[in-house]
């Protein structure tokens, strides 16, 4: 991954089609962040994010498919669903009618 600055006014990358352009007064705009003016360092970071996303989405998409979800469903659920509480559930008196086979 490499972000290249061309003529102090354009940033490109060899890993993403997104770009950043200088808008003067040390401000930069990034193609996928319309309406935002960033510092040079922020613009570089934004392009690095754009470089990292496609490989991540490819790997997550493959895993999501294995569990019968779309990429967006898996991402949304992993981000928004709360993890289980670490506290064990209180024991209740339960009649056992048979054992459940363990997952192989």
């Amino acid at each position: 991954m490499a972000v290249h600055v061309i003529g102090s006014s354009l940033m490109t990358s060899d890993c993403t089609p997104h770009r950043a352009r200088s808008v003067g007064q040390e401000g930069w705009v990034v193609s996928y962040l319309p309406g935002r003016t960033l510092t040079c360092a922020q613009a570089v970071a934004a392009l690095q994010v754009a470089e990292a996303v496609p490989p991540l989405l490819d790997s997550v998409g493959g895993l999501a498919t294995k569990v019968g979800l779309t990429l967006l469903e898996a991402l949304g659920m992993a981000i928004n669903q709360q993890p289980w509480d670490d506290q064990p559930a209180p024991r209740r008196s339960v009649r056992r009618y048979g054992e459940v086979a363990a997952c192989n």
Side-chain angles (χ1 to χ4, degrees), residues 60-69:
V60 172
L63 295 171
T65 300
K66 287 183 179 183
V67 295
L69 298 171

Side-chain angles (χ1 to χ4, degrees), residues 53-72:
V53 167
L56 175 65
L57 293 181
D58 288 344
S59 82
V60 172
L63 295 171
T65 300
K66 287 183 179 183
V67 295
L69 298 171
T70 67
L71 168 66
L72 292 178

Side-chain angles (χ1 to χ4, degrees), residues 82-100:
Q82 293 296 316
W84 292 337
D85 188 4
D86 287 348
Q87 301 299 321
R91 292 190 63 100
R92 291 185 250 167
S93 152
V94 176
R95 285 191 185 172
R96 295 186 184 231
Y97 292 102
E99 296 295 322
V100 176

Side-chain angles (χ1 to χ4, degrees), residues 20-84:
R21 294 182 196 257
S22 173
V23 293
Q25 299 177 351
E26 300 181 18
W28 291 82
V29 293
V30 177
S31 58
Y32 75 92
L33 297 172
R36 294 182 185 221
T37 302
L38 307 174
T39 66
C40 181
Q42 289 172 323
V44 169
L47 289 179
Q48 290 172 329
V49 167
E51 290 177 333
V53 167
L56 175 65
L57 293 181
D58 288 344
S59 82
V60 172
L63 295 171
T65 300
K66 287 183 179 183
V67 295
L69 298 171
T70 67
L71 168 66
L72 292 178
E73 287 171 332
L75 289 174
M77 294 174 93
I79 291 167
N80 293 314
Q81 294 296 320
Q82 293 296 316
W84 292 337

